[in-house]
Amino acid sequence: MADGLLAGVGLGSQAMTPQPERMGWAVEEEPAPLEKGLFQDEDSCSDCSNHDKPGSSLPSFVPSGKTHFPEIFQTSQLLFYERFKAYQDYILADCKASEVREFTAEFLEKVLEPSGWRAVWHTNVFEVLVEVTDVDFAALKAVVRLADPYLCESQVSSFTLECMNELLNLKEHRLPLQELWVVFDDSGVFDQTALAIEHVRFFYQNIWRSWDEEEEDEYDYFVRCVEPRLRLHYDILEDRVPSGLIVDYRNLLSQCEESYRTFLNLRSSLSNCNSDSEQENISMVEGLKLYSEIEQLKQKLKLIENPLLRYVFGYQKNSNIQAKGIRPNGQKVMHVVSSTMMTGLLRSLLRDRLCQEPCKEETEIQFHSDPLSAINACYEGDTVIVCPGHYVVHGTFAIADSIELEGYGLPDDIVIEKRGKGDTFVDCTGVDIKISGIKFIQHDAVEGILIIHRGKTTLENCVLQCETTGVTVRTSAEFLMKNSDLYGAKGAGIEIYPGSKCTLSDNEIHHCKEGILIKDFLDEHYDIPKISMVNNVIHNNEGYGVVLVKPTIFSDLQENVQDEIEENRALKIPMSEEEGTAERVDLEELIQCATGKMELYTRSSFSEQVEGNCEIVNELVAASTQKGQMKKKRLSELGITQADDNLMSQEMFVSIVGNQFKWNGKGSFGTFLF
């Protein structure tokens, strides 16, 4: 098995040559700044890898500093699949959480050299060279002695030989394997030892949680915990997770660890107390509250760790963009963006846009060579006119004021392309923002091409060439999209959050993973969004045309919907808006429509279109009904006996008609239960 492990990870390690700025000690893969030891400075190591050396297939590096330590095996640059294969095939296999330590010890017994190798004992305070004389596999510790000559480097003060011997005596000369970095040996004898210790070190630093052992072992530990956490770790390294979500995850992890430590201390104090005192009863109540809090934190962590749920839920980022408001002098400025300005273009611009109203008071015009500088110069009520051209930007369009951003010409002639890594392309928080006639191209982004955090944003006659998610409509935001083309999203073309308002009319949404994704949350106080979908063509998406994400509690709703029909007779949904009239269909008819009991159209050519529209309406009405029931229950619990019967009607969907669903991989509509 040792040979298999080396074959599985050695090749990848060679292929991935260590970069000096990425080399350090325990956590150099972490992208966020962390506390560093002496050898964790970005430039503190020089690459001494020599692949021509006989025997060893692993690279090495020499930590620079006052003390000249020997070369160290460089094992921390392993790829995802290398770690994945090692944990799945050799270390953990199908073990339970309670068996992790036992399986790890068995693995180490097979691949670890029990003695005869040297290592650098690395802590946050000092580094010292030691020799390993034996290994306690069950305890995951090595028995060591100081190497000769004595090499030590301290971060805070000098450690004499006597002090270090005293410290080792206190530890009984037994050190955790994860604190040891194996000294390089070109014979290849200790390659497996270095790799094995690296896997143990990485596991306990990035995968293992102190509460894992107490969780139920319904599934094997690798599938339930190791794989999702490993994927999240590498997604973060490779800039595939929004920075805000990374911060949220680390904060949740810290909170959960702190709460769990408090819970363990409280439980220990209770176990040592035999009396039925009042203090014990109070402690038991506190323990139950802590347990409930820990379970909620663990659930949130799992949502982020799971790649599918992470994609479905995203995170609630609070945008810190500040609106400038109206200019001190009250003037509104027209910003013209053009890389070059020919006389013909200037004449047309003056005729069509700048001098439309001769009697109007003088308007200030500012010229810009790129759209980002124009938007940054805007105040409330300004207009940005982008002339034909291909503009490359590297920052984020942060639009906090009510402005108009319009292209002068056809969208294909006015292209704004974002390059460089970053979370977002266009961030909207203004009260009333209008964007029209522009083609946006997204590259190397973590989040979507357009995010509406709050306020209203109107997008008309635009083209969105996405790479991750297309448009995200956050809670309490409003989005109006007309006559636009959206494609290429690796996630959903449009993500609609609870409590938002979204109107989609005459658009094409195609060649995305999912067309439209309507989100729900575990928190029941979020309202269902108000959505209008009219005459959109949703086609060639990998999954569904429209996906509704909702809690499992909704899956039992259909059994009780019929019981609610009479109570909700007043509930109406407009299904058509021709000639300004709104024909309304009650809840019972909608359910019949979705189950094929009602023939609204006679022509067979419309059968797929009608089925898709009615299926969406039925599911959304069901979800809205359940939300209304939850609201009434909460109001009743608060002592409010007369709940508003119109609560559900206020949440209903405005219009879902005339949409065409073609060639979507899984069909027109689907539901994801979590």
Side-chain angles (χ1 to χ4, degrees), residues 219-495:
Y219 303 99
D220 66 84
Y221 181 70
F222 179 84
V223 173
R224 183 163 54 89
C225 298
V226 178
E227 182 177 356
R229 291 172 187 170
L230 185 62
R231 290 189 184 277
L232 175 62
H233 180 85
Y234 275 87
D235 283 347
I236 291 174
L237 286 181
E238 295 165 13
D239 296 321
R240 290 198 294 264
V241 181
S243 58
L245 187 57
I246 297 173
V247 173
D248 288 351
Y249 180 74
R250 289 175 177 166
N251 289 338
L252 287 170
L253 194 58
S254 298
Q255 292 174 30
C256 196
E257 289 173 346
E258 182 178 352
S259 298
Y260 187 70
R261 283 195 299 268
T262 305
F263 176 76
L264 290 180
N265 293 334
L266 187 60
R267 188 172 64 179
S268 177
S269 65
L270 284 173
S271 64
N272 296 329
C273 180
N274 298 321
S275 64
D276 294 331
S277 63
E278 181 179 352
Q279 183 60 41
E280 181 185 4
N281 293 333
I282 295 175
S283 297
M284 290 182 66
V285 173
E286 292 177 355
L288 290 173
K289 288 182 179 179
L290 267 175
Y291 180 80
S292 177
E293 176 187 335
I294 292 168
E295 288 301 310
Q296 291 179 5
L297 290 170
K298 283 158 62 174
Q299 179 67 16
K300 292 179 180 179
L301 287 170
K302 289 177 181 178
L303 290 177
I304 300 176
E305 289 168 354
N306 185 294
L308 177 59
L309 296 179
R310 181 164 73 245
Y311 154 69
V312 168
F313 290 100
Y315 73 105
Q316 295 278 38
K317 184 178 77 171
N318 296 317
S319 178
N320 295 320
I321 309 170
Q322 297 295 324
K324 297 179 181 177
I326 301 174
R327 278 187 176 79
N329 59 8
Q331 288 284 337
K332 294 181 180 180
V333 173
M334 190 168 289
H335 304 264
V336 178
V337 180
S338 180
S339 53
T340 59
M341 182 66 71
M342 306 298 289
T343 56
L345 175 61
L346 182 58
R347 282 195 298 268
S348 300
L349 195 61
L350 288 169
R351 181 186 67 246
D352 298 337
R353 292 296 288 112
L354 304 182
C355 299
Q356 285 181 306
E357 302 178 22
C359 298
K360 192 176 180 179
E361 63 182 29
E362 291 290 329
T363 301
E364 180 181 343
I365 300 174
Q366 295 182 9
F367 290 89
H368 305 265
S369 59
D370 70 277
L372 184 57
S373 64
I375 289 175
N376 290 338
C378 281
Y379 283 76
E380 184 78 13
D382 284 3
T383 300
V384 178
I385 300 175
V386 185
C387 296
H390 190 122
Y391 305 91
V392 176
V393 297
H394 293 270
T396 297
F397 283 20
I399 308 178
D401 293 281
S402 298
I403 68 170
E404 293 188 26
L405 174 63
E406 60 179 89
Y408 181 64
L410 298 175
D412 286 339
D413 296 329
I414 305 156
V415 179
I416 301 179
E417 179 180 357
K418 177 170 174 27
R419 294 179 185 171
K421 292 188 180 297
D423 281 357
T424 58
F425 190 173
V426 183
D427 248 354
C428 296
T429 58
V431 176
D432 188 7
I433 299 169
K434 296 178 181 178
I435 304 173
S436 61
I438 297 175
K439 180 176 183 178
F440 294 92
I441 300 177
Q442 176 196 48
H443 292 295
D444 296 326
V446 178
E447 285 195 84
I449 197 168
L450 171 63
I451 298 182
I452 302 99
H453 294 277
R454 54 182 177 270
K456 178 182 178 182
T457 296
T458 301
L459 191 75
E460 187 170 3
N461 194 31
C462 288
V463 177
L464 303 181
Q465 180 179 319
C466 312
E467 186 171 270
T468 52
T469 299
V471 178
T472 301
V473 189
R474 297 285 186 185
T475 300
S476 301
E478 182 177 353
F479 179 55
L480 176 62
M481 181 175 173
K482 301 178 182 178
N483 301 308
S484 295
D485 188 17
L486 188 156
Y487 60 92
K490 294 178 182 177
I494 299 178
E495 290 185 358

Side-chain angles (χ1 to χ4, degrees), residues 465-562:
Q465 180 179 319
C466 312
E467 186 171 270
T468 52
T469 299
V471 178
T472 301
V473 189
R474 297 285 186 185
T475 300
S476 301
E478 182 177 353
F479 179 55
L480 176 62
M481 181 175 173
K482 301 178 182 178
N483 301 308
S484 295
D485 188 17
L486 188 156
Y487 60 92
K490 294 178 182 177
I494 299 178
E495 290 185 358
I496 303 174
Y497 276 63
S500 63
K501 183 176 180 181
C502 188
T503 302
L504 307 174
S505 176
D506 301 288
N507 304 291
E508 282 198 45
I509 302 171
H510 57 99
H511 293 92
C512 304
K513 184 176 179 61
E514 309 284 356
I516 299 171
L517 189 145
I518 305 170
K519 295 187 176 183
D520 211 332
F521 280 82
L522 292 173
D523 301 328
E524 60 185 36
H525 64 271
Y526 282 102
D527 289 334
I528 206 159
K530 296 181 180 179
I531 300 176
S532 175
M533 292 172 54
V534 180
N535 300 331
N536 300 283
V537 182
I538 304 172
H539 65 93
N540 289 102
N541 296 291
E542 181 181 339
Y544 292 101
V546 177
V547 175
L548 173 64
V549 181
K550 59 185 183 182
T552 308
I553 188 173
F554 287 148
S555 63
D556 301 326
L557 183 61
Q558 293 299 333
E559 301 175 3
N560 303 319
V561 166
Q562 291 294 339

